[in-house]
Amino acid sequence: MMLYIDPPTWPGHGRLWSHLVSDESYAELHAFAAALGAPPRAFDGDHYDIPASSYETAVGMGATRISSRELVRLLRESGLRRPKRRAP
C-alpha cells in the first residue's frame, strides 16, 4: 500500500490544501482517506483534497511526502489519473 501526499500549498476556501493519491487503487485511497477522517466530498476524481491541518496526520499514518510534480507523475504512471473535463 503506497499513498502519497504533496505539501499543503494549494489555496482554497481560506485554507491551504494537499493532494492525497494512491499508486495502487481507488479502494486503497478511499480506505485511507476514511481512516484519516476525510469526507467523501473531498474526493476530486483521482485524489483527495486534504487540509493543511491534516497533513502531518496523513504522514503519520503512512502517506509518503512528495512534491506536487512527482505526485502527478506517479498518478499518471499508475494509470489512475483522471484529467478534469474542460467546458466547451
Side-chain angles (χ1 to χ4, degrees):
M1 176 166 121
M2 288 299 292
L3 283 291
Y4 300 91
I5 193 165
D6 65 358
T9 58
W10 304 95
H13 309 285
R15 298 197 253 182
L16 292 176
W17 300 83
S18 293
H19 299 117
L20 177 71
V21 303
S22 168
D23 67 350
E24 290 285 323
S25 72
Y26 292 118
E28 170 185 63
L29 178 59
H30 294 312
F32 188 93
L36 181 60
R41 71 178 179 275
F43 183 64
D44 194 16
D46 58 10
H47 68 275
Y48 276 85
D49 293 323
I50 303 298
S53 59
S54 296
Y55 179 79
E56 291 298 332
T57 302
V59 171
M61 290 173 57
T64 300
R65 301 173 204 246
I66 60 172
S67 71
S68 298
R69 177 173 281 187
E70 185 72 5
L71 183 138
V72 172
R73 185 188 66 74
L74 286 171
L75 196 55
R76 282 187 185 138
E77 288 177 0
S78 72
L80 297 175
R81 179 76 169 137
R82 291 184 182 162
K84 291 194 183 260
R85 293 185 180 181
R86 297 186 181 195

